Amino acid sequence: MNRSRSSSAWLNEHVNDAYVQRARAEGYRSRASYKLMEIDDRDRLIRADEVIVDLGAAPGGWSQVAAKRLQGKGRVIAVDLLEMEAVRGVTFLQGDFREHDVLQQLEELLGGERVGLVLSDMAPNLSGIAVRDQARMMHLAELSLDFARHWLQPDGALLVKLFQGHGFSDFLQEMRRAFETVSSRKPDASRDRSPEVYLLGKTLKA
């Protein structure tokens, strides 16, 4: 079967992408690693002796960055529906975060310990139907926010990926109700044509 022009163009772009090449050279699993690095360099989110929960972790790029920057002083718990090759310093839970049983397993791993940082790079498998994809993306973001509200320590932070579109403004308002400060981030490693944007909430409101 001949590869379509669009898929060939994507493959060519991916192979020649500077961040993809850099990730391969530096041993990171995905170009997404550099998104977290850039945001953390700016906002100082990864702090020693804290627990970090990485939702939608596979293939492990963000978990790699978090574990490396913790330098063994703290722990990372990663969750994804897909399999993920082991990352040193990371506890991996395979399962669908939308399911109650998986959330319960995650809470058991926490053992009552509060979280310093929740990372959510979760995204649905895209169907190509914009309304459906946006709704599913917003649902994942809402689950991330709900988890953060229940498990973050008072001065903790949530970094969550969203697609700009229907429901974004409402979710932004929910973030502002939950956190003292809310900022948007569009790191250089995020492709310009991508609708993704990251919202960063810091310090839970009482």
Side-chain angles (χ1 to χ4, degrees):
M1 180 181 295
N2 292 329
R3 185 179 287 119
S4 69
R5 290 183 180 179
S6 60
S7 62
S8 295
W10 180 89
L11 182 61
N12 184 64
E13 178 188 33
H14 182 75
V15 169
N16 293 305
D17 185 286
Y19 285 103
V20 171
Q21 294 176 350
R22 183 178 171 188
R24 289 174 178 167
E26 297 180 357
Y28 288 101
R29 296 185 181 179
S30 72
R31 68 192 309 283
S33 298
Y34 300 98
K35 301 175 188 179
L36 181 57
M37 288 183 204
E38 181 180 333
I39 295 172
D40 185 51
D41 287 345
R42 175 174 180 173
D43 295 289
R44 303 299 180 188
L45 301 177
I46 299 171
R47 302 179 298 191
D49 300 316
E50 292 187 341
V51 179
I52 296 173
V53 173
D54 183 8
L55 303 174
W62 279 23
S63 289
Q64 278 184 299
V65 172
K68 184 175 181 179
R69 294 195 172 194
L70 281 177
Q71 297 182 323
K73 300 176 181 178
R75 61 187 180 124
V76 179
I77 301 174
V79 183
D80 203 287
L81 178 61
L82 303 176
E83 292 183 9
M84 189 178 91
E85 186 179 343
V87 177
R88 185 175 182 180
V90 177
T91 300
F92 176 59
L93 171 62
Q94 184 175 359
D96 189 339
F97 185 67
R98 296 170 297 179
E99 300 295 332
H100 176 73
D101 288 350
V102 175
L103 174 60
Q104 191 172 45
Q105 291 177 62
L106 174 56
E107 291 174 340
E108 289 172 358
L109 286 172
L110 289 171
E113 188 174 3
R114 291 290 169 175
V115 177
L117 175 62
V118 175
L119 302 171
S120 177
D121 202 29
M122 289 192 292
N125 290 325
L126 299 181
S127 67
I129 302 172
V131 174
R132 178 186 297 175
D133 292 338
Q134 181 67 9
R136 293 169 67 195
M137 185 67 178
M138 296 310 303
H139 178 57
L140 293 174
E142 288 163 1
L143 291 176
S144 301
L145 176 56
D146 186 63
F147 176 79
R149 279 175 160 151
H150 284 89
W151 283 96
L152 277 179
Q153 57 194 36
D155 65 344
L158 166 66
L159 180 66
V160 55
K161 178 165 73 177
L162 295 160
F163 294 156
Q164 297 183 68
H166 181 73
F168 179 87
S169 295
D170 291 339
F171 185 80
L172 176 59
Q173 291 305 313
E174 282 298 311
M175 287 281 287
R176 287 172 173 164
R177 279 190 279 270
F179 293 96
E180 294 289 347
T181 63
V182 178
S183 308
S184 64
R185 298 287 181 260
K186 180 75 170 178
D188 291 340
S190 180
R191 293 188 173 99
D192 291 339
R193 61 176 169 76
S194 171
E196 72 179 14
V197 64
Y198 293 88
L199 289 182
L200 171 61
K202 300 178 75 174
T203 307
L204 286 171
K205 289 185 176 179

